[in-house]
Amino acid sequence: ILLFLSICLCDCYHNNLIKNGGFENGYTDFSTQYIREYTSQATSPNHYFIYSPDENYGVLNWVGKPFEGNNFLAVDGSTTSNTVVWSQTISIDKSRTRYLFSCYISSLTLGSSARFQVLIDNIIVTDSFKAPTSLYEWKFLSVNWYSYGNTEVTISIIDLTTSYSSNDFGIDNIQFYDNIESSNSNSGLVAGTVILSVFNALTLYFLLDYYKKYNALVKQNKNQYANGNLDGYVYTSSVSNPIIIQQNDFIDLPRGSNGNNNVISTAIHDNQL
């Protein structure tokens, strides 16, 4: 079963197409309209830097830690609307049509008012997404996108808030996966077939297990002299061959040598009728 599920997952999701999405490689593989911060004292609007716990930038009121790894993108929001915080152009497989973009957003100051949108080829693909209001919290942003035969796309994140203060945020773990469907492959069919195979295997297992237990119970009753009661039926046995009748039916049984119906009297004595 685990093998079947692994095949299904590998066929549905592929490698992250974003380079340096966790910013572990520092200031590489992305573009921005913000200004890189080089000082060690403070930041000002429209500036950014790659935050690492090992570096001290002296930003007194900024608090944050990476979602995962050691680094994340730390930003002092711009006062100019629609300024691109992060952008990357990537090549995609035109045979695959459905993609999943995701990232994590955090606030670096209490009461942050930062709001975001994601653009793909300059087209807005998400609603306004607000950063969390508490510190040390990463909020998940995701959206599905259909390529319709594209071979290259540019993905951008913009900050909609233009206030001078309380517009400080972090971005981490940016991902872009080709998702479940593909135009020239049978991945959906394969996934469906695998899931059906797992279901059939489980069904067969439980049926065989039930049949095994049922046969064991019948065999046990065949080897008993007294009557038994199982699943609405009465099992009446002389020695080894049972006579199976419904509880509401009647049957004439041979009397014993003493003239009494030994089988019936035993069943009544054992409270089995």
Side-chain angles (χ1 to χ4, degrees):
I1 294 172
L2 290 178
L3 175 61
F4 286 150
L5 292 178
S6 297
I7 292 174
C8 179
L9 288 176
C10 290
D11 189 73
C12 296
Y13 293 91
H14 297 262
N15 294 330
N16 181 19
L17 302 178
I18 298 294
K19 295 180 181 179
N20 195 27
F23 304 98
E24 299 303 301
N25 298 327
Y27 300 85
T28 62
D29 300 313
F30 70 94
S31 61
T32 179
Q33 293 178 343
Y34 279 64
I35 302 169
R36 178 175 172 178
E37 178 63 57
Y38 288 94
T39 69
S40 60
Q41 296 301 316
T43 63
S44 57
N46 201 45
H47 283 70
Y48 79 98
F49 60 87
I50 304 298
Y51 178 84
S52 172
D54 298 329
E55 301 178 19
N56 180 15
Y57 285 89
V59 183
L60 299 180
N61 61 339
W62 281 26
V63 179
K65 60 182 180 180
F67 172 76
E68 63 180 15
N70 297 315
N71 299 338
F72 70 89
L73 181 66
V75 183
D76 192 330
S78 175
T79 54
T80 303
S81 61
N82 298 323
T83 304
V84 175
V85 180
W86 174 95
S87 183
Q88 188 174 122
T89 299
I90 59 176
S91 298
I92 62 175
D93 184 350
K94 68 177 181 179
S95 69
R96 299 191 175 276
T97 59
R98 188 180 177 190
Y99 290 80
L100 176 67
F101 172 84
S102 66
C103 67
Y104 285 84
I105 305 290
S106 68
S107 296
L108 301 179
T109 52
L110 283 172
S112 175
S113 58
R115 294 180 297 110
F116 307 89
Q117 281 186 326
V118 176
L119 287 75
I120 298 182
D121 287 342
N122 293 319
I123 298 175
I124 297 173
V125 295
T126 64
D127 295 328
S128 174
F129 183 85
K130 193 176 186 307
T133 56
S134 58
L135 301 177
Y136 297 110
E137 177 185 351
W138 286 93
K139 195 173 178 180
F140 184 64
L141 166 63
S142 68
V143 61
N144 284 305
W145 178 77
Y146 292 84
S147 72
Y148 301 106
N150 300 56
T151 58
E152 186 178 82
V153 293
T154 299
I155 306 173
S156 305
I157 301 174
I158 61 174
D159 177 21
L160 301 177
T161 303
T162 58
S163 62
Y164 185 88
S165 61
S166 299
N167 190 19
D168 309 313
F169 54 88
I171 301 177
D172 200 4
N173 202 31
I174 303 173
Q175 299 181 333
F176 190 63
Y177 284 92
D178 48 350
N179 207 325
I180 298 171
E181 299 175 355
S182 61
S183 56
N184 295 322
S185 73
N186 292 322
S187 61
L189 179 60
V190 171
T193 302
V194 168
I195 293 173
L196 184 60
S197 298
V198 172
F199 177 79
N200 288 338
L202 289 172
T203 302
L204 180 60
Y205 171 82
F206 286 114
L207 284 176
L208 289 175
D209 183 64
Y210 178 82
Y211 179 77
K212 188 176 182 180
K213 292 178 179 178
Y214 181 81
N215 276 348
L217 200 55
V218 170
K219 185 176 180 181
Q220 178 182 356
N221 279 273
K222 289 176 66 176
N223 294 328
Q224 291 179 349
Y225 180 82
N227 295 346
N229 190 338
L230 177 67
D231 296 335
Y233 291 88
V234 174
Y235 290 75
T236 304
S237 175
S238 57
V239 177
S240 61
N241 296 318
I243 302 173
I244 304 175
I245 60 174
Q246 293 186 8
Q247 283 184 331
N248 293 330
D249 292 343
F250 295 88
I251 186 169
D252 291 328
L253 299 174
R255 295 181 178 275
S257 57
N258 59 359
N260 296 323
N261 193 326
N262 295 329
V263 176
I264 295 299
S265 62
T266 303
I268 293 174
H269 178 74
D270 292 340
N271 297 319
Q272 293 179 321
L273 286 180

